[in-house]
Amino acid sequence: SGWLSKPIRLLQLRRMLVNLLIPESMETIAAVGQIPPRLPEIRGDLVILMAEDNPVNQKVALSMLKRLNYKADVANNGLDVLSSLETKAYDVILMDIQMPDMDGLNATRCIREQRTKKQPYIIAMTAYALDGDREEFLKAGMNDYLSKPIRIDELKLALDRCEKALKERGS
């Protein structure tokens, strides 16, 4: 019914337990007519594409997004990203850097060269955590950076920054 990644923080454990235990008790109380049930927060405000070639990483990231009440489409490489952008406008792309056929840096450069009216917010995701990498990703046209392994709190902050940036530019 739930999972936490190590190291487990007390606040994360508490939130998970509350989310797992309270909805059932709230439904029971609502069934006998005492108070209305608490509805989960629905976040359909970001259209997300996740570019990741590793199936395990895909599953983990999709699970994190689900816990944050987001859904995402998946592309297996940079060429799939470009193809997906032809059929659907995405607000944000979670872009792995190392992928077969076309890596995340080249895919980002291609997206930025298209000069479309609505450019997606691109968040780099990579296991590389060397000095200067962030600057290289930003120079290629990415808006933000997350190092792997991705932590849910960092992902949430990055998506919050994305929503703020999109609101500021009027998207």
Side-chain angles (χ1 to χ4, degrees), residues 94-160:
L94 300 172
M95 183 82 75
D96 185 22
I97 297 300
Q98 279 197 314
M99 295 181 289
D101 300 325
M102 179 184 277
D103 67 18
L105 290 174
N106 286 324
T108 299
R109 289 183 188 110
C110 288
I111 292 167
R112 296 305 186 218
E113 288 172 3
Q114 290 176 357
R115 304 280 184 215
T116 57
K117 181 180 172 186
K118 183 181 173 188
Q119 284 280 317
Y121 188 93
I122 302 175
I123 301 172
M125 298 189 313
T126 184
Y128 291 122
L130 303 174
D131 289 338
D133 283 340
R134 180 180 174 83
E135 290 75 23
E136 180 183 356
F137 303 147
L138 297 176
K139 186 177 176 183
M142 296 180 171
N143 303 92
D144 207 342
Y145 165 84
L146 291 172
S147 62
K148 291 181 182 176
I150 304 295
R151 294 178 32 188
I152 194 165
D153 54 334
E154 292 172 357
L155 178 60
K156 182 183 182 327
L157 290 173
L159 292 173
D160 288 345

Side-chain angles (χ1 to χ4, degrees), residues 43 45-49 61 64-66 68-71 91-94 121 123 144 146 152-166:
R43 297 190 71 153
D45 44 356
L46 284 180
V47 182
I48 301 173
L49 176 63
M64 285 184 190
L65 288 168
K66 184 178 179 183
L68 295 171
N69 295 315
Y70 289 105
K71 291 191 310 186
D91 296 316
V92 60
I93 301 174
L94 300 172
Y121 188 93
I123 301 172
D144 207 342
L146 291 172
I152 194 165
D153 54 334
E154 292 172 357
L155 178 60
K156 182 183 182 327
L157 290 173
L159 292 173
D160 288 345
R161 287 190 296 269
C162 171
E163 285 182 332
K164 183 179 176 186
L166 291 173

